[in-house]
Amino acid sequence: MVDEERWKARFRAARVSLPGWARDAPHRSTYRSNVTGTWEIYTWDRTTDARGQVTDRPNGTWMGGVDPTGQWVWWFADTDGDEFGIWRRTPFGGGEDAPAVPGLEPSYPSGLAVGSSGLAVIGRTTEGGNTVHLCRPGAEPEVLYEHAEDAHVAGLSRDEGLIAIGHSEHGDSRHMALRVLRPDGMEIADLWDGPGKGVYGAGFSPVAGDTRLLVNHERRGREELLVWDPVAGTEHEIVLDLPGEISADWYADGSALLVSHSHEARDELYRYELGDGMLTRIDTPRGVIGGATARPDGTVEFSWSSAAEPPVVRSTSGAVVLTPPGPVAPPSVPVEDVWVDGPGGRIHALVSKPAEGSGPFPAVFDVHGGPTAQDEDSFVPSAAAWIDHGFAVVRVNYRGSTGYGSQWRDAIEGRVGLTELEDIKAVRDWAVSSGLADPDRLVLTGGSWGGFLTLLGIGTQPDDWTVAVAAVPVADYVSAYEDEMEGLQAFDRSLFGGSPEEVPDRYRESSPITYVEQVKAPVLILAGENDPRCPIQQIDNYLDRLAGLGREHEVYRYDAGHGSLVVEERIKQMEAEISFARRHLGLLR
């Protein structure tokens, strides 16, 4: 008997994000929480422990943070999850919100950097292309940078004399370049490592007058670090004896880096001394670090979870940093690591089994989105819900995933979707042959890119899957390209090697609607009416074809965008997914 309240409690349990803090007033922090049942932005004064809710909107708020002075909370206001809107700001201590820059029209956000003087650098994406605006208090915004290709704000120096912009003027938004400018528009320096190798700004030094910029690069086939001084014209590559991918942030005095090491679906933290190169491991539990920050006193705060244990925000001081009210989410089961030989190399999969039974189990292949993302040993309420209902859950870090090097990530270019599905099928075949999965009860599911792969999978591998559940998917790639946000159009051009007009055969071969006549599995599609990433019209095109062919399908529509920030809505969606799968697998009594 399934404890329905137990799995729902994991969604309803109050959660908090890692708090951000004001550089000039470090006692003032902001964080996200779902404590009201909807994800919103909150303030926290560490000296008084006073907390306040900043935003309160029907479909929630995801993007927001405190400015360096601690006086203002900036947050992005879209309409019902469509991701198109403006930045607003609210006094930290409470009060009326107002447009942060009244002179800027709505857009898709593309980066934000705010200085202590009130200067704001705002990245915007519209149908006309990408712009970066310099916004001084009391003055009309000025265009600092504009280009048709994808670009974003990558940093603002402490003295506000340097601005870093990530750009893809070379035509490849999956491997970007960096440019540093003065506020008057004068170009200081460019950094680009050539085709197929991206560089990304990770923040200027927090020290006034220090012109060093922390940069992620992939010169040796995986994500690593360098410190670039665009004014002095120097680069210092940081080579660490660690096997995985590396990212970092500054310690407050600029003398060291807080290093995050991601390897085989788990994370570690280190302190790296820039002076002598000493690398010291920071003690954290085995699992995933959702974010980490070094406080001015040298302690590190980090958000942590594992597949079995729900998220918590900890400090290296030993304290739990921020605890939301209410009961803690019930635990789930740990994951097991599996490595399967595939057509492009060894594939890493994470397997979770029900606590009772020995298999073969009905199995859910839960395909991650992105594709530049990965499945990890982290707490996922949706995966835990499937497990509670007696399913084994298999998550595959297919070619295209991050965390396994540049070559693995970029292997899907030019053969989009089909490459990933080769890896998913290899793991599927292992799961069946090993006795883990019942071959007659296999569910293929995923959201966003995972939803795209789900629909493509049941069309190109119709005999391998029993049921499909696709959330906010790409279903008709050409139509999706026409309607999606401009930043994703640039991403798709990089991924496919051009637009649908330039390489039509590639889009046709990778589009689920091409294979709709071969679909055998009953399919549930969940779609957001305001989704700018996987727009509703292209999903309707696919649904119309299913209906015309008489294929068994259902659709769940909701009034939001690319997912929901409302807890009860997420529970309704999860109920619909599980009920659909169990009904079509003969598991409902």
Side-chain angles (χ1 to χ4, degrees):
M1 182 67 68
V2 177
D3 185 344
E4 293 291 330
E5 290 307 310
R6 179 178 174 83
W7 74 259
K8 293 177 183 178
R10 295 195 188 94
F11 286 89
R12 290 180 176 137
R15 296 170 60 182
V16 294
S17 67
L18 177 73
W21 47 276
R23 185 183 62 208
D24 304 333
H27 62 288
R28 291 193 161 187
S29 292
T30 52
Y31 61 94
R32 287 190 305 269
S33 179
N34 65 344
V35 66
T36 65
T38 303
W39 285 94
E40 299 288 2
I41 308 296
Y42 291 79
T43 58
W44 175 34
D45 188 320
R46 295 172 184 246
T47 58
T48 63
D49 200 33
R51 306 179 194 184
Q53 183 173 343
V54 177
T55 57
D56 184 7
R57 305 192 307 143
N59 281 299
T61 311
W62 192 253
M63 298 175 63
V66 62
D67 79 339
T69 69
Q71 297 298 311
W72 297 97
V73 178
W74 286 60
W75 52 275
F76 191 76
D78 63 355
T79 302
D80 293 330
D82 66 1
E83 301 182 46
F84 192 83
I86 65 170
W87 288 99
R88 302 184 71 87
R89 67 177 192 173
T90 305
F92 184 90
E96 294 296 319
D97 65 83
V101 182
L104 285 183
E105 295 295 320
S107 68
Y108 295 110
S110 192
L112 170 71
V114 182
S116 297
S117 72
L119 172 72
V121 185
I122 298 178
R124 302 171 68 250
T125 299
T126 65
E127 291 183 356
N130 294 269
T131 54
V132 174
H133 291 258
L134 199 67
C135 308
R136 295 183 173 90
E140 289 295 311
E142 309 167 28
V143 176
L144 179 69
Y145 174 91
E146 58 183 329
H147 201 276
E149 292 293 340
D150 198 20
H152 63 269
V153 177
L156 175 66
S157 63
R158 175 67 181 267
D159 61 9
E160 304 176 15
L162 297 173
I163 297 160
I165 295 172
H167 71 84
S168 56
E169 294 175 8
H170 52 287
D172 182 2
S173 71
R174 282 171 54 85
H175 307 91
M176 300 193 84
L178 279 170
R179 178 170 299 153
V180 173
L181 305 93
R182 297 285 187 191
D184 62 6
M186 185 177 76
E187 295 183 11
I188 299 301
D190 279 279
L191 185 64
W192 183 46
D193 283 347
K197 295 180 179 180
V199 288
Y200 298 89
F204 281 99
S205 164
V207 178
D210 190 343
T211 55
R212 295 175 299 168
L213 178 65
L214 186 60
V215 175
N216 290 110
H217 70 88
E218 48 185 317
R219 294 173 178 176
R220 283 175 288 275
R222 62 188 176 103
E223 189 172 320
E224 294 181 278
L225 300 169
L226 64 84
V227 176
W228 178 39
D229 190 327
V231 176
T234 60
E235 297 177 24
H236 170 56
E237 290 191 22
I238 297 170
V239 180
L240 303 178
D241 187 20
L242 297 171
E245 299 197 334
I246 308 295
S247 60
D249 197 2
W250 297 91
Y251 274 81
D253 63 0
S255 68
L257 301 178
L258 175 59
V259 172
S260 178
H261 173 230
S262 175
H263 183 56
E264 297 181 355
R266 295 170 182 87
D267 300 324
E268 300 172 333
L269 293 178
Y270 294 83
R271 178 183 172 111
Y272 176 78
E273 302 291 343
L274 288 166
D276 60 12
M278 180 179 294
L279 185 69
T280 305
R281 172 80 187 273
I282 297 171
D283 186 33
T284 59
R286 178 178 168 84
V288 171
I289 308 296
T293 183
R295 294 281 294 164
D297 64 0
T299 60
V300 173
E301 296 176 352
F302 59 95
S303 176
W304 174 90
S305 75
S306 71
E309 298 180 64
V312 61
V313 180
R314 301 177 183 268
S315 169
T316 52
S317 69
V320 173
V321 175
L322 192 61
T323 304
V328 176
S332 186
V333 300
V335 296
E336 300 175 18
D337 295 85
V338 172
W339 292 86
V340 176
D341 290 332
R346 296 177 72 228
I347 307 160
H348 188 198
L350 301 176
V351 175
S352 304
K353 301 175 184 177
E356 298 179 0
S358 58
F361 300 101
V364 171
F365 283 73
D366 191 357
V367 184
H368 72 71
T372 48
Q374 63 175 306
D375 279 315
E376 302 172 306
D377 182 11
S378 60
F379 194 76
V380 182
S382 57
W386 287 111
I387 296 163
D388 283 358
H389 284 83
F391 290 84
V393 174
V394 183
R395 295 180 289 159
V396 182
N397 282 327
Y398 50 76
R399 279 172 290 170
S401 304
T402 55
Y404 302 85
S406 303
Q407 184 176 355
W408 187 265
R409 181 200 63 208
D410 293 344
I412 65 174
E413 292 180 358
R415 194 169 176 271
V416 178
L418 304 172
T419 301
E420 300 96 296
L421 285 167
E422 289 179 347
D423 292 349
I424 294 168
K425 176 173 171 52
V427 177
R428 176 250 181 230
D429 291 348
W430 164 83
V432 170
S433 64
S434 69
L436 170 71
D438 180 344
D440 296 322
R441 292 176 173 177
L442 298 180
V443 180
L444 185 60
T445 186
S448 190
W449 197 262
F452 157 64
L453 293 176
T454 294
L455 296 185
L456 189 62
I458 59 173
T460 60
Q461 303 166 350
D463 296 322
D464 289 329
W465 309 104
T466 319
V467 176
V469 178
V472 291
V474 174
D476 177 350
Y477 222 125
V478 174
S479 176
Y481 181 91
E482 292 172 353
D483 294 342
E484 69 190 4
M485 56 203 300
E486 286 71 15
L488 286 180
Q489 290 180 337
F491 182 90
D492 285 339
R493 290 193 297 272
S494 297
L495 196 58
F496 283 88
S499 69
E501 290 185 352
E502 294 166 328
V503 287
D505 289 347
R506 290 184 178 180
Y507 282 85
R508 179 185 55 79
E509 291 166 2
S510 294
S511 184
I513 203 168
T514 301
Y515 308 96
V516 67
E517 293 183 2
Q518 297 170 210
V519 170
K520 297 179 181 179
V523 57
L524 169 66
I525 296 179
L526 297 91
E529 296 283 0
N530 307 313
D531 191 343
R533 298 174 181 267
C534 299
I536 194 69
Q537 180 58 58
Q538 54 94 27
I539 292 176
D540 285 338
N541 295 346
Y542 187 86
L543 290 168
D544 288 345
R545 290 293 306 279
L546 285 177
L549 292 164
R551 301 296 194 264
E552 193 164 5
H553 70 282
E554 293 181 17
V555 60
Y556 181 107
R557 299 176 186 268
Y558 60 95
D559 187 21
H562 198 62
S564 177
L565 301 177
V566 180
V567 171
E568 292 304 316
E569 173 60 33
R570 284 292 299 118
I571 291 174
K572 289 179 184 177
Q573 293 177 16
M574 198 73 239
E575 284 182 310
E577 294 180 26
I578 293 173
S579 175
F580 182 86
R582 295 181 73 202
R583 186 167 70 252
H584 288 283
L585 294 177
L587 297 175
L588 281 181
R589 295 186 178 90

